[in-house]
Amino acid sequence: LIEAVARFNKKYSINYPGGPLAATLSQIIDAHRQYDGFGNTGEFTLSKKENENIVFLLSHRHFDYNLPRPVPLQSELAEPMRRALLGHSGTVVGLDYRGEVVMAAHEPVAGLDLGIVAKIDLSEIRAPFAKAAVITGLFSIIVVFGGVALFFRISNPIIKLLEDQNTSLELTNKNLNREIGERKQAEKAVQKSEKRFRAIFEQAAVGVAQIETMTGKFIHINQRYCDIVGYSQKEMRATTFMKITHPDDLQADLDNIERLKSGRINEFTLEKRYFHKNGSIIWVELTVSPMWNVGEEPNYHIAVIV
């Protein structure tokens, strides 16, 4: 959108004070003043490179002044913006201009020699997982401590894996002669992390499942989930969540899933009834969220924590 505005101003705003660039920046700044950001910590930043410094062009929601301090281009801070100004496009987990660890998407702005970053604090991303752990932990003190331990075991290897992969890709670009060896090391690290994640998934103190929303089939399901409803994993994969859900609760479940797929909600928690294999009815509390592939549309699978 910014590039489109810049092209328009280059053609039609020749007489604007300061020229087309000033016209473009004035519109961006005005729009940014009307925007509160996303989430509690999410924001967009726009910068330019000036004398080996990163100079920010927009005010930041984390500060109360209009001219944020420049950051040296070679500093450890503002890593996503540094990549954008160097012409790189993608996502990264790194330090922002405050020194906070963020998940960020970065992109160079063609025609203006600027960089744009959309970022959100990693701690805010982790927050829903912590909430889910607390909810499931209400059943007993043991489950509380088990849920907290599970959270750290799951989240830390995933973040570490993202950082390792990012480092591996940069090393590959710098030295093609070591590409084969580095890829083998990366593959071993991924396999090790996948084995660790699978072990945590299978041994979790809470029920966890991946469900395909179009058919309702269970794609992946851990043993704890099976124990709750009394079926084996083979039996669970042969059925759907609709068949074991009480008819009076099914429509609310399906409505929430549709809201999830349309993007109107990010997750939902629902109390519902399942049919146990022995014929009894059991009450469970579910926390449901979509599963995303980085850089792609949602694959319409959901993650369910019981």
Side-chain angles (χ1 to χ4, degrees):
L1 179 60
I2 292 174
E3 291 172 358
V5 172
R7 290 193 296 270
F8 180 90
N9 288 332
K10 186 175 182 180
K11 185 175 181 180
Y12 298 105
S13 301
I14 303 299
N15 298 323
Y16 186 87
L21 176 60
T24 300
L25 290 177
S26 67
Q27 294 175 75
I28 297 171
I29 292 172
D30 179 66
H32 188 262
R33 286 173 179 167
Q34 310 303 318
Y35 184 63
D36 294 328
F38 50 94
N40 295 320
T41 60
E43 65 173 347
F44 290 90
T45 59
L46 187 71
S47 300
K48 65 179 179 178
K49 178 182 176 183
E50 185 176 288
N51 297 327
E52 297 304 316
N53 287 324
I54 299 174
V55 177
F56 295 96
L57 303 177
L58 302 176
S59 60
H60 296 172
R61 69 183 298 183
H62 304 292
F63 294 92
D64 58 359
Y65 49 79
N66 292 323
L67 296 176
R69 295 185 298 272
V71 174
L73 189 64
Q74 300 303 322
S75 169
E76 293 182 356
L77 301 179
E79 173 64 14
M81 184 59 73
R82 183 181 71 83
R83 295 185 180 212
L85 292 175
L86 292 177
H88 301 303
S89 173
T91 58
V92 66
V93 174
L95 299 179
D96 71 350
Y97 58 86
R98 300 167 296 147
E100 294 291 332
V101 179
V102 297
M103 178 85 71
H106 54 86
E107 185 85 18
V109 182
L112 297 178
D113 293 327
L114 302 177
I116 187 169
V117 169
K119 64 183 182 65
I120 188 169
D121 286 5
L122 199 59
S123 59
E124 184 172 351
I125 297 176
R126 288 179 168 177
F129 295 97
K131 179 182 178 181
V134 171
I135 293 174
T136 57
L138 293 177
F139 290 100
S140 70
I141 297 299
I142 295 176
V143 177
V144 168
F145 288 105
V148 173
L150 176 64
F151 162 68
F152 284 107
R153 288 180 181 177
I154 292 177
S155 62
N156 289 338
I158 292 175
I159 300 303
K160 182 63 167 59
L161 176 59
L162 288 173
E163 295 172 345
D164 288 346
Q165 289 177 333
N166 184 65
T167 301
S168 178
L169 289 174
E170 285 194 348
L171 291 175
T172 301
N173 291 331
K174 291 178 181 179
N175 193 346
L176 293 178
N177 293 328
R178 295 183 297 174
E179 181 178 358
I180 296 177
E182 290 177 357
R183 286 187 176 180
K184 288 182 178 180
Q185 293 177 0
E187 288 174 0
K188 290 180 181 179
V190 170
Q191 291 172 358
K192 183 178 180 180
S193 296
E194 287 178 347
K195 290 180 180 178
R196 291 165 58 192
F197 181 81
R198 173 59 62 182
I200 293 171
F201 174 82
E202 293 296 343
Q203 300 170 18
V206 294
V208 184
Q210 178 187 355
I211 298 176
E212 203 282 317
T213 58
M214 295 296 294
T215 62
K217 289 185 176 181
F218 291 90
I219 307 302
H220 297 291
I221 184 168
N222 71 349
Q223 188 57 47
R224 176 56 182 159
Y225 203 112
C226 295
D227 293 341
I228 291 174
V229 294
Y231 293 92
S232 67
Q233 291 202 11
K234 182 177 180 180
E235 290 171 330
M236 289 296 289
R237 291 192 179 95
T239 187
T240 67
F241 82 90
M242 289 89 84
K243 290 181 179 179
I244 65 172
T245 296
H246 194 283
D248 293 343
D249 299 334
L250 181 58
Q251 191 58 49
D253 214 352
L254 296 175
D255 290 343
N256 278 317
I257 291 175
E258 286 301 317
R259 294 170 63 202
L260 204 67
K261 291 167 61 176
S262 66
R264 287 177 287 170
I265 58 175
N266 295 324
E267 67 173 24
F268 67 88
T269 298
L270 177 72
E271 289 188 354
K272 61 181 287 187
R273 287 164 286 184
Y274 271 152
F275 290 113
H276 194 276
K277 183 179 180 180
N278 63 15
S280 64
I281 295 176
I282 58 173
W283 280 94
V284 296
E285 185 176 56
L286 305 179
T287 298
V288 183
S289 59
M291 299 186 68
W292 292 77
N293 290 329
V294 176
E296 301 178 7
E297 294 296 322
N299 60 9
Y300 300 110
H301 288 191
I302 56 175
V304 180
I305 299 177
V306 180

